[in-house]
Amino acid sequence: MSGVRVRFAPSPTGPLHIGGARSALFNWLFARQKGGTFIVRIEDTDLERSSRESEQNILEALRWLGLDWDEGVEVGGPCGPYRQTERISIYQQYARQLLEGGWAYPCYCTEEELAAEREALLARGEMPRYSGRCRHLTEQDRRRLEEMGRRPVLRFAVPAGENITVHDLVRGEVTFDTAGIGDFIIVKSDGIPTYNFAVVVDDHHMGITHVIRAEEHLSNTPRQILLYRAFGWPEPQFAHISLILGQDRSKMSKRHGATSIEQYREMGYLPEALVNFLALLGWSPGGEEEIFTLEELVQQFSLERVAKNPAIFDLDKLNWLNGHYIRQSSLDRLTELAIPFLQKAGYISGGVTPEQYRWLKQLVATVRDYLTSLSEITRHVDIFFAPEVEPEDEEARAVLAGEEVPRVLSALAEKVRTASELDEDTARGILKKLPKELGLGARKVYLPIRVALTGRTHGPELYQVISLLGREKVLSRLGRVAGAC
């Protein structure tokens, strides 16, 4: 194993969230730029909350974002297995090594005893930490406690009076005093390793050279460095990327909107828009450009341009990016993605015939410029599925009250009735001639036609509306309004 090796190691306790996706992206970009290896490992030692369903959701979200991995679950590789629950024997081997080397010891303290210790420390104004009371138990003490039915955890013996300095590639040098750490648990009483212990063993075994992860893990880093040193292993380089905050500058949560990649996918966001958006959460390119393909991100990404300050989740910016990518995408792709939303809204049912597909493709082309996500399409196409429409407000009703409206609508109806076909070009030609033939200004012609056909004073180009509605609906709507004038 040589070169840059990075990993994304989620816990499968729920869907892939925005923060996790950004960590995965930064690791992926770093690996691809350096010609390195990107590994996906599953940290599933939280047995109660972990599930294969969540694991599949995470892996599917990574694939949807275009983040492939070189080693890991479902791919394999020389450092497997890549699920922590399948590596328990490896952790046991290294736990014994620490125990035999005097770096770890069994701790028999109960939850009640530990809680009392924490309360006493807080009462004295000290930072809560484990005092090390089980460090010097005799063999006789241990036997007595085990006879009482106590099952020990294994704690790491933190050396006193040392400073641990993390040379962070994003945050610079950060120093921790071991006095504030306390002897931490590395193996729980059921034999399951804790996060800090398992992650060090895994990262060493998998040859991880750079650990790129969220800032919330920074406080774990001194514990992990102590473990590396106890084993005599080389330490990876660390890079802790900033938190993601909502617009109110509080930690990103459900109250700020959707938090998982799956939710954004279900709302009709495109993967390239999310990737582009995630890259700009805490990383800044060299210039003013904000639109990047994955390939362009690989070329430009660097940890040096990752900010220390929190990133603000700006939904308006994501919507702007998504709208851009919607307008750049092929109509066939957008139509396929739009069909489920139209089916869910009840606008179409069953399978889509080739003729229906061509019409739907024209429909998507007509409204795509108004969309920031594909789920919004149902708000813009109702006028094309409704049997009839009503003026949406007083302004629209006032338009239809104009003196020349009956004459305008009758003239259009006659041309629609006698047209050999009603495609966009034909409709455009009809509309272009009407103002001159009627001796009226364009607004006095086009606005009443728009309201009669859509009920609205704004919307897609009229020639697109006429072509999509078809002869029967156009004549029905024109006749209904003309008859009411």
Side-chain angles (χ1 to χ4, degrees):
M1 295 181 291
S2 62
V4 165
R5 290 175 64 82
V6 296
R7 48 72 172 176
F8 176 59
S11 296
T13 56
L16 180 62
H17 286 83
I18 289 294
R22 183 189 59 166
S23 294
L25 175 62
F26 282 17
N27 276 280
W28 186 90
L29 290 172
F30 188 74
R32 292 292 171 262
Q33 188 190 69
K34 302 295 185 182
T37 302
F38 177 56
I39 300 165
V40 172
R41 183 176 76 220
I42 298 296
E43 297 185 345
D44 58 350
T45 52
D46 185 342
L47 302 179
E48 290 185 3
R49 298 173 60 224
S50 295
S51 71
R52 284 298 176 92
E53 181 184 2
S54 292
E55 178 184 312
Q56 285 304 311
N57 175 288
I58 291 167
L59 299 180
E60 178 57 31
L62 290 175
R63 290 191 182 98
W64 181 72
L65 290 170
L67 307 182
D68 57 333
W69 53 100
D70 310 297
E71 291 179 26
V73 285
E74 298 189 354
V75 171
C79 304
Y82 292 93
R83 290 185 188 89
Q84 286 186 337
T85 50
E86 297 170 5
R87 298 172 61 82
I88 299 299
S89 62
I90 299 173
Y91 306 131
Q92 290 172 340
Q93 170 193 341
Y94 285 102
R96 282 194 300 271
Q97 184 176 323
L98 290 177
L99 192 58
E100 291 165 2
W103 285 102
Y105 61 91
C107 170
Y108 296 87
C109 294
T110 64
E111 282 299 322
E112 292 76 17
E113 289 169 340
L114 294 171
E117 190 174 90
R118 282 195 294 270
E119 289 299 322
L121 285 168
L122 286 170
R124 295 199 301 266
E126 297 179 32
M127 183 182 297
R129 63 191 182 283
Y130 181 64
S131 64
R133 60 194 291 179
C134 287
R135 250 202 215 208
H136 306 296
L137 292 177
T138 65
E139 199 62 42
Q140 186 180 358
D141 293 332
R142 291 170 183 165
R143 275 199 304 270
R144 178 177 54 81
L145 290 165
E146 287 175 12
E147 285 170 2
M148 293 169 58
R150 295 198 185 186
R151 298 178 63 190
V153 299
L154 199 62
R155 286 187 184 271
F156 183 82
V158 174
E162 290 189 15
N163 286 328
I164 304 297
T165 299
V166 182
H167 302 280
D168 195 277
L169 296 175
V170 172
R171 321 201 77 76
E173 288 197 353
V174 186
T175 299
F176 298 85
D177 187 341
T178 57
I181 296 176
D183 295 352
F184 55 92
I185 298 171
I186 58 174
V187 180
K188 293 179 281 189
S189 59
D190 58 3
I192 300 297
T194 60
Y195 166 75
N196 282 312
F197 179 56
V199 77
V200 168
V201 172
D202 290 344
D203 283 349
H204 173 71
H205 264 241
M206 296 178 189
I208 301 303
T209 60
H210 296 75
V211 174
I212 304 169
R213 59 189 180 186
E215 179 187 350
E216 60 200 34
H217 287 291
L218 181 60
S219 61
N220 289 318
T221 308
R223 295 170 175 83
Q224 293 167 17
I225 288 175
L226 286 169
L227 284 163
Y228 278 107
R229 293 177 182 176
F231 283 120
W233 294 340
E235 302 162 23
Q237 292 186 273
F238 292 94
H240 290 90
I241 54 183
S242 63
L243 294 174
I244 299 175
L245 305 180
Q247 290 279 36
D248 59 359
R249 302 195 72 81
S250 65
K251 190 174 179 181
M252 183 76 180
S253 66
K254 290 179 181 178
R255 65 192 179 86
H256 295 109
T259 58
S260 73
I261 297 300
E262 180 182 43
Q263 288 173 298
Y264 284 99
R265 183 177 184 178
E266 290 173 349
M267 288 190 293
Y269 286 82
L270 302 181
E272 56 267 42
L274 270 170
V275 164
N276 197 154
F277 178 71
L278 289 171
L280 298 173
L281 280 178
W283 170 80
S284 59
E288 298 298 316
E289 183 60 50
E290 291 190 303
I291 304 293
F292 296 98
T293 64
L294 257 179
E295 293 74 20
E296 290 167 340
L297 286 171
V298 168
Q299 292 171 5
Q300 292 208 33
F301 182 79
S302 70
L303 290 174
E304 289 76 19
R305 300 196 68 84
V306 173
K308 296 179 186 179
N309 298 328
I312 304 299
F313 189 95
D314 184 348
L315 185 59
D316 290 337
K317 186 167 189 174
L318 173 57
N319 287 336
W320 173 77
L321 282 167
N322 203 53
H324 166 81
Y325 284 106
I326 284 174
R327 291 186 290 278
Q328 297 297 311
S329 294
S330 73
L331 280 174
D332 281 312
R333 179 195 182 198
L334 293 180
T335 303
E336 292 291 344
L337 292 172
I339 285 172
F341 293 106
L342 297 172
Q343 289 172 327
K344 186 177 180 180
Y347 290 136
I348 55 177
S349 59
V352 175
T353 66
E355 183 180 356
Q356 283 178 308
Y357 183 83
R358 286 191 291 274
W359 184 84
L360 289 170
K361 188 173 173 180
Q362 184 183 351
L363 178 71
V364 171
T366 298
V367 301
R368 69 189 294 179
D369 286 353
Y370 302 94
L371 305 179
T372 59
S373 70
L374 285 165
S375 62
E376 294 176 350
I377 193 168
T378 55
R379 302 208 309 262
H380 295 278
V381 301
D382 54 334
I383 59 172
F384 300 106
F385 292 95
E388 297 291 349
V389 293
E390 298 292 338
E392 66 175 355
D393 53 26
E394 284 301 322
E395 181 187 358
R397 280 187 282 275
V399 168
L400 295 182
E403 181 183 348
E404 300 292 339
V405 170
R407 187 161 69 97
V408 169
L409 301 186
S410 296
L412 176 61
E414 180 60 27
K415 288 184 180 294
V416 167
R417 193 178 293 111
T418 57
S420 57
E421 57 181 332
L422 208 58
D423 58 17
E424 289 187 1
D425 286 340
T426 304
R428 188 190 282 110
I430 290 171
L431 290 166
K432 187 177 181 180
K433 294 175 182 177
L434 266 183
K436 188 175 182 180
E437 290 176 359
L438 293 170
L440 297 170
R443 181 177 173 81
K444 288 192 174 183
V445 173
Y446 297 144
L447 199 52
I449 290 174
R450 179 177 296 283
V451 175
L453 295 180
T454 70
R456 303 168 184 174
T457 54
H458 304 280
E461 295 287 350
L462 271 178
Y463 67 85
Q464 294 175 313
V465 171
I466 290 171
S467 177
L468 278 168
L469 287 173
R471 194 189 313 268
E472 186 178 332
K473 272 190 177 178
V474 168
L475 291 175
S476 172
R477 292 183 185 184
L478 293 174
R480 185 167 177 262
V481 173
C485 290

